[in-house]
Amino acid sequence: MITDDQPLLTARGITKMYGRHVGCTDVSFDLFAGEVLAVVGESGSGKSTLLSVLSTRLEPTAGTVCYRMRDGEMRDIYRLNEAERRLLMRTDWGFVHQDAREGLRMGISAGGNVGERLMAIGSRHYGEIRATALDWLGRVEIDLARVDDAPKTFSGGMRQRLQIARNLVTQPRLVYMDEPTGGLDVSVQARLLDLLRGLVADLGLAVVIVTHDLAVARLLSHRIMVMRAGRVIETGLTDQVLDDPREPYTQLLVSSVLQV
Amino acid sequence: MSANAAAEAARPYNYAYLDEQTKRMIRRAILKAIAIPGYQVPFASREMPMPYGWGTGGVQVTASIIGPSDVLKVIDQGSDDTTNAVSIRKFFEKTAGVAVTTATTAASIIQTRHRIPETPLGAGQVLVYQVPIPEPLRFLEPRETETRKMHALAEYGLMHVKLYEDIAKHGRIAKTYDYPVMVGGRYLMDPSPTPKFDNPKMHRSPALQLFGAGREKRIYAVPPHTDVVSLDFDDHPFEVNKFDKPCALCGATDVYLDEVILDDRGGRMFVCSDTDNCETRRADGHRGELLGNEEPRA
Ligand SMILES: [Zn+2]
């Protein structure tokens, strides 16, 4: 998949205004299958606005986002009808929220949470749905004995791993992640990052991950985009940007990480 | 002025209580509901001279379709003589001057709460359901904007999640009332709190089935001969409740039974929930355990 010469996602001139206030402005990039792109910056840099625009949650003021559908056709995601858009979001895409409560049904069992996407696309065999759910719980290192427990009884790290399993069960090609390790203890973060890195590589996932944490970007991403005040100010291979930042602002970001 | 019109003019309220404009509005909602089987049509529900929970939705539907030549039957939990059934029957006797009956076969309109008669309905009959909560997705997704979208796009996976949870917890689909159905292969529908035992009776029924929810202001319909399929899984197929014993009074085996407590020492029996069906069978000579187990002579 990585050898495909067509991008999976193309963003061109993405601008989002909130009245006269700039959310993000003139963002363009290509994302290829299997590629992990980290969007980094401080809060207010426009990285979250960009993620919302890319994931059809927030229509841009200007610019286009195109996605290569499973049939190979590039489609403007804001020109899909609602049924196509919703189908895309629950099959070929995933979205991992920082707050797992936004991405899970807290009163539904872990198995039901993972199985929901399967049932949404027509699975009608309880035994198969459950077997698939158990397989995914195993892959995200959740004790299989917890399959019938609701995530409201889970720890923060478990909830996040369950959210990931719930997204990956339909084998999406693109997953958006919004600060997926935010708010977790350092040791829990490390385990989650390790798991994510393995899954992304095994499944050949393309990922757009928004984070303020450069260590997360370093560990997961191939490429990095640094945003400030709504603009992309530096972009490149992750190791190059983090080891040898050209922009003074990026240098500041990197050095403040080193100080921590 | 004809005698009828004179009587009409002398009446302190309009025929069948509702004014003609309201009836036309409700009839339009009913026609739309029939045109889109299983789709919940909003309507401007009126105050009725009875509290919500007493079937105001069903009463408004019945009032909008009833005419002087109709014969009305009203049942509540299968019985013609509960307070609720009696008062609704009296209401239409008084306001619409219609003949009433307890015989399923003699009725042109049957208003019901919680049951479908055991005697199969025929062409020309109308079954009017009193519905408390018309939205089957309500308890899974409280946002009305979202449930509407789910209906519009036929996104019903969430309903199966509920059934999945049932099997995971109880080893089987535990839902015995309000069991969700797909109507005409398109709309997910709540059959109102009828037992799932009655679900198969809705499937391709020759009768017209109308559903009225007064408090929630919704009307929906299953036109004659429409597919009504209960949701299930391939490996956990839909099954109706089974009863261990036949009716203690009439010996019927393929009907829905109610438990009746006989004394305070644990004595109990199971009898037909459909009282008309039970009485008809007994009149035909069928006898259950309590009456000496006799079968009629051929
Ligand atoms: Zn009986």
Side-chain angles (χ1 to χ4, degrees):
Chain A
M1 276 167 93
I2 299 176
T3 57
D4 285 4
D5 54 0
Q6 293 279 323
L8 192 59
L9 184 81
T10 63
R12 292 289 178 271
I14 302 295
T15 297
K16 176 66 193 178
M17 303 294 292
Y18 299 103
R20 300 181 63 183
H21 177 76
V22 175
C24 65
T25 183
D26 199 23
V27 179
S28 299
F29 68 90
D30 289 336
L31 182 75
F32 289 82
E35 187 180 29
V36 179
L37 172 69
V39 183
V40 302
E42 297 170 291
S43 71
S45 63
K47 61 188 193 302
S48 295
T49 296
L50 177 64
L51 190 69
S52 296
V53 170
L54 295 175
S55 57
T56 76
R57 277 147 213 266
L58 187 64
E59 189 155 2
T61 313
T64 55
V65 182
C66 291
Y67 180 72
R68 183 153 51 86
M69 308 293 276
R70 283 191 182 184
D71 63 6
E73 196 187 337
M74 279 309 267
R75 300 280 302 275
D76 181 335
I77 60 168
Y78 283 96
R79 300 204 167 196
L80 299 174
N81 66 40
E82 181 143 40
E84 289 174 320
R85 188 177 65 79
R86 287 169 73 106
L87 183 68
L88 178 65
M89 288 179 74
R90 63 167 187 252
T91 53
D92 214 18
W93 285 8
F95 196 108
V96 177
H97 296 265
Q98 173 176 1
D99 184 349
R101 286 173 299 187
E102 287 176 39
L104 292 172
R105 293 191 188 277
M106 297 305 283
I108 298 282
S109 71
N113 265 287
V114 178
E116 179 172 350
R117 276 181 165 221
L118 298 174
M119 291 180 252
I121 57 173
S123 290
R124 293 292 178 262
H125 192 285
Y126 175 83
E128 287 170 9
I129 294 163
R130 192 169 177 82
T132 308
L134 283 167
D135 178 47
W136 272 101
L137 291 186
R139 290 170 84 163
V140 297
E141 301 168 6
I142 290 175
D143 181 356
L144 301 190
R146 304 296 302 270
V147 63
D148 294 329
D149 296 342
K152 60 187 172 198
T153 68
F154 286 11
S155 69
M158 280 172 74
R159 287 181 187 179
Q160 213 52 310
R161 282 179 274 133
L162 180 62
Q163 194 190 179
I164 289 161
R166 172 176 158 90
N167 273 282
L168 297 186
V169 68
T170 51
Q171 299 175 323
R173 292 184 299 161
L174 171 60
V175 178
Y176 296 105
M177 297 185 188
D178 184 12
E179 305 272 11
T181 59
L184 299 175
D185 292 343
V186 174
S187 65
V188 176
Q189 279 192 24
R191 184 179 173 194
L192 185 65
L193 280 171
D194 208 39
L195 179 81
L196 269 179
R197 195 156 71 146
L199 285 171
V200 166
D202 288 351
L203 302 168
L205 289 178
V207 176
V208 176
I209 180 171
V210 160
T211 179
H212 69 281
D213 186 340
L214 297 189
V216 169
R218 165 91 79 181
L219 206 62
L220 284 182
S221 71
H222 306 118
R223 272 198 308 140
I224 201 167
M225 283 197 326
V226 183
M227 290 188 72
R228 186 189 187 193
R231 292 186 177 275
V232 175
I233 57 159
E234 184 160 5
T235 180
L237 295 176
T238 301
D239 287 344
Q240 274 177 17
V241 171
L242 294 184
D243 292 340
D244 187 18
R246 279 175 293 132
E247 290 295 319
Y249 177 77
T250 313
Q251 290 165 4
L252 206 67
L253 276 183
V254 171
S255 63
S256 64
V257 164
L258 295 178
Q259 280 164 14
V260 172
Chain B
M1 194 184 263
S2 72
N4 258 349
E8 194 71 28
R11 213 194 294 270
Y13 41 76
N14 196 40
Y15 180 79
Y17 189 79
L18 292 176
D19 63 83
E20 291 306 311
Q21 199 178 344
T22 299
K23 284 194 226 167
R24 274 196 295 275
M25 175 272 292
I26 293 175
R27 285 178 201 137
R28 277 196 296 273
I30 292 172
L31 287 174
K32 185 170 179 184
I34 292 170
I36 317 171
Y39 173 75
Q40 299 167 47
V41 181
F43 80 109
S45 182
R46 292 289 191 261
E47 291 291 328
M48 296 302 285
M50 58 194 77
Y52 285 124
W54 279 64
T56 55
V59 168
Q60 290 178 78
V61 169
T62 298
S64 303
I65 62 170
I66 205 163
S69 61
D70 273 308
V71 179
L72 179 69
K73 171 181 165 77
V74 182
I75 51 173
D76 178 9
Q77 312 264 17
S79 167
D80 294 89
D81 45 17
T82 66
T83 316
N84 186 298
V86 170
S87 67
I88 291 173
R89 204 161 56 226
K90 279 192 181 145
F91 175 78
F92 283 113
E93 264 186 302
K94 187 173 163 206
T95 62
V98 292
V100 295
T101 183
T102 58
T104 299
T105 48
S108 59
I109 299 174
I110 303 170
Q111 182 169 329
T112 178
R113 175 170 173 266
H114 291 357
R115 281 305 314 280
I116 299 174
E118 305 289 2
T119 308
L121 301 181
Q125 288 186 300
V126 183
L127 186 59
V128 178
Y129 296 74
Q130 304 169 199
V131 178
I133 295 170
E135 178 50 71
L137 299 163
R138 171 70 50 84
F139 295 109
L140 301 164
E141 177 53 72
R143 289 170 298 176
E144 166 108 20
T145 49
E146 188 63 18
T147 54
R148 278 195 202 181
K149 204 168 275 176
M150 291 161 118
H151 283 296
L153 300 172
E155 276 182 11
Y156 295 135
L158 198 53
M159 198 73 237
H160 268 92
V161 173
K162 168 77 180 78
L163 301 181
Y164 170 96
E165 293 288 287
D166 257 21
I167 302 174
K169 282 199 182 67
H170 309 288
R172 65 197 158 76
I173 298 174
K175 214 164 174 31
T176 53
Y177 292 86
D178 257 332
Y179 194 104
V181 293
M182 282 297 288
V183 175
R186 174 58 183 83
Y187 281 98
L188 178 69
M189 189 186 87
D190 193 322
S192 91
T194 50
K196 69 174 181 179
F197 181 90
D198 286 339
N199 275 17
K201 294 177 186 158
M202 294 191 284
H203 182 55
R204 297 185 185 169
S205 168
L208 169 63
Q209 302 174 74
L210 301 175
F211 300 76
R215 193 179 46 224
E216 301 273 337
K217 304 179 171 57
R218 291 288 186 279
I219 287 171
Y220 49 104
V222 175
H225 309 293
T226 303
D227 282 354
V228 178
V229 178
S230 302
L231 298 193
D232 61 4
F233 287 100
D234 299 344
D235 49 343
H236 286 266
F238 173 80
E239 282 176 349
V240 296
N241 344 23
K242 293 222 168 62
F243 297 91
D244 300 336
K245 300 177 105 181
C247 171
L249 298 178
C250 78
T253 53
D254 50 354
V255 298
Y256 193 78
L257 301 178
D258 283 336
E259 187 179 351
V260 177
I261 307 293
L262 290 174
D263 51 46
D264 55 7
R265 297 184 306 278
R268 56 192 194 138
M269 63 173 182
F270 287 91
V271 297
C272 288
S273 135
D274 183 336
T275 50
D276 168 60
N277 185 62
C278 200
E279 281 158 19
T280 306
R281 282 178 52 83
R282 276 180 276 150
D284 290 346
H286 296 274
R287 293 280 179 272
E289 197 180 18
L290 211 68
L291 303 178
N293 272 340
E294 249 177 58
E295 280 303 297
R297 294 191 185 156

